Amino acid sequence: MHELSIAQSILDIITEEMRRHHVERIVSVRLKIGEMSAVVPESLTFCWSIVTKDTPAEGSRLDIVSLPIEARCLACDSVFFVQNYVYVCPKCGSGDLAILSGKELQIQDFETPDF
Amino acid sequence: MKVPVVRNILEANKRIADENRTLFGSKRILVLNLMSSPGAGKTTLLEKTIDLLKDRFRIGVIEGDIQTSTDAERIAGHGVQVVQINTDGACHLDGNMIREALTQLDLDALDLLVVENVGNLVCPAEFDVGEHHKVMILSTTEGDDKPKKYPLMFQESSVLLVNKIDLLPYINCRIEVIRRASAEINPNLKVLEISATTGEGLPLWTNWLEEQIRQIRGTD
Ligand SMILES: [Zn+2]
């Protein structure tokens, strides 16, 4: 259940950003979550509803964009999606990879109500 | 209206972990984050490791536990510095908990600090505490399908200790399956087969540890 700590961290950042932008209410927060981070979206959404209670973010929605694991082979330079957690280049068989995405745990933006 | 933010959700934890790491570097202490599911043998391994190394290195332990302090009492019985963190329900340790625990340790009197994380295969891998290496223990009784179920921890770790190999004749666990799956997830993962109970394989582990401590301490 690291979703609770993650929800709390999102709230800390969002509260700070709302203050900075002089925003009093928000309707949604957009997140980029990589496949490697083992975050269960339903669980994070549930934790979000708990931690935002009685805060300016209460009632807001989390829009979670899940990102697959993408890697570049350092031996042959091919770029591919890692399937089933096999970190091996499908083209040349090398295990020497740079992870391009899939570890994200990132806030993209938030949306304020329209007036 | 959309307001761009683009910030890493765990940035606060990362910042504190980096401060911890800088402190460890300045004191030249090797710090390990020891992770496993409950009952994999973390505390027994620690007890054996301490007994094998305490004549040569000064060792400290931070014990993370959801509620009890029984593990810390066991470790304290081996004559090393130990601090207990009770997470009160949290399933992992984070950078800030470690920073607070450090105030209760004499860092100038340590060569090796082991953080025994809460027993859990998911969350501890996500929270950097400032360690140099994550070390994972997987016991043979947990089965050989764990790497595919909990890939992040296997990917983040430097060493995988496959514990309880003395039980292999009695259970259905194939070490080669663990090795193959681990290598696919993390080709750089060092896999060592041990039994913390019988002591089999432990020199492989303590040799690796000694090498790491010497690297951190330099040539002295
Ligand atoms: Zn390749």
Side-chain angles (χ1 to χ4, degrees):
Chain A
M1 266 297 282
H2 59 329
E3 282 83 0
L4 189 59
S5 318
I6 290 169
Q8 185 60 53
S9 302
I10 297 170
L11 181 62
D12 292 344
I13 293 172
I14 287 298
T15 307
E16 190 185 313
E17 292 288 337
M18 285 173 76
R19 212 176 295 132
R20 175 183 318 194
H21 293 280
H22 310 288
V23 167
E24 277 166 17
R25 305 290 304 174
I26 57 166
V27 290
S28 66
V29 178
R30 195 151 55 118
L31 308 174
K32 276 189 182 172
I33 307 279
E35 193 188 329
M36 282 309 287
S37 61
V39 165
V40 180
E42 294 76 19
S43 177
L44 185 58
T45 302
F46 173 69
C47 292
W48 181 248
S49 69
I50 294 173
V51 300
T52 54
K53 209 166 179 318
D54 301 320
T55 75
E58 181 170 1
S60 64
R61 186 179 77 238
L62 285 184
D63 292 333
I64 301 172
V65 180
S66 298
L67 297 175
I69 305 165
E70 192 173 25
R72 184 165 57 81
C73 174
L74 296 178
C76 77
D77 226 33
S78 50
V79 173
F80 60 96
F81 289 111
V82 172
Q83 310 280 358
N84 198 24
Y85 302 110
V86 177
Y87 289 82
V88 175
C89 173
K91 211 165 167 192
C92 76
S94 167
D96 207 5
L97 310 177
I99 304 298
L100 304 178
S101 77
K103 285 187 168 181
E104 294 79 0
L105 213 46
Q106 205 178 64
I107 300 174
Q108 260 332 88
D109 52 39
F110 61 80
E111 199 174 356
T112 63
D114 294 320
F115 297 103
Chain B
M1 184 182 68
K2 276 211 159 72
V3 180
V5 177
V6 194
R7 285 173 64 176
N8 186 334
I9 294 168
L10 297 183
E11 63 184 19
N13 183 69
K14 178 77 168 63
R15 196 168 51 239
I16 297 170
D18 285 341
E19 286 167 17
N20 290 347
R21 200 165 4 249
T22 304
L23 177 64
F24 299 142
S26 72
K27 304 282 184 186
R28 295 205 279 173
I29 305 170
L30 176 72
V31 180
L32 303 181
N33 186 352
L34 189 59
M35 309 181 295
S36 79
S37 26
K42 288 192 297 297
T43 311
T44 305
L45 173 83
L46 258 176
E47 291 179 296
K48 289 285 168 75
T49 305
I50 291 166
D51 288 343
L52 288 167
L53 293 179
K54 71 180 175 190
D55 293 341
R56 274 167 296 158
F57 302 106
R58 302 163 301 168
I59 304 171
V61 175
I62 295 177
E63 274 289 335
D65 233 315
I66 292 180
Q67 227 140 39
T68 66
S69 63
T70 45
D71 288 349
E73 285 154 22
R74 271 172 69 184
I75 296 296
H78 294 260
V80 297
Q81 290 192 57
V82 56
V83 182
Q84 174 76 43
I85 300 176
N86 280 135
T87 60
D88 289 326
C91 50
H92 59 269
L93 297 175
D94 63 27
N96 196 44
M97 295 180 205
I98 298 303
R99 174 158 73 181
E100 277 166 28
L102 291 177
T103 61
Q104 297 176 54
L105 289 169
D106 178 7
L107 296 180
D108 290 314
L110 288 182
D111 302 309
L112 168 66
L113 176 62
V114 182
V115 175
E116 183 179 338
N117 219 309
V118 179
N120 174 350
L121 285 182
V122 182
C123 318
E126 198 77 67
F127 291 80
D128 186 0
V129 299
E131 73 277 346
H132 297 100
H133 294 283
K134 290 185 170 72
V135 173
M136 176 177 180
I137 309 181
L138 179 69
S139 55
T140 55
T141 50
E142 294 169 68
D144 47 31
D145 58 348
K146 285 290 184 296
K148 290 289 171 190
K149 283 188 175 165
Y150 303 97
L152 183 67
M153 188 160 289
F154 288 83
Q155 199 183 42
E156 296 282 314
S157 293
S158 306
V159 177
L160 169 65
L161 299 169
V162 181
N163 191 23
K164 306 189 187 178
I165 54 168
D166 53 310
L167 299 180
L168 280 173
Y170 315 106
I171 53 177
N172 186 19
C173 171
R174 296 152 300 173
I175 297 256
E176 67 278 8
V177 173
I178 295 175
R179 280 191 177 272
R180 203 181 319 122
S182 309
E184 283 177 353
I185 295 167
N186 179 356
N188 299 316
L189 183 65
K190 197 176 178 67
V191 181
L192 304 176
E193 298 172 25
I194 63 160
S195 166
T197 313
T198 66
E200 193 182 346
L202 285 184
L204 299 168
W205 159 240
T206 52
N207 286 346
W208 178 84
L209 256 177
E210 260 183 77
E211 169 65 28
Q212 304 303 316
I213 296 172
R214 290 193 199 289
Q215 270 183 29
I216 297 267
R217 295 205 63 79
T219 48
D220 62 353

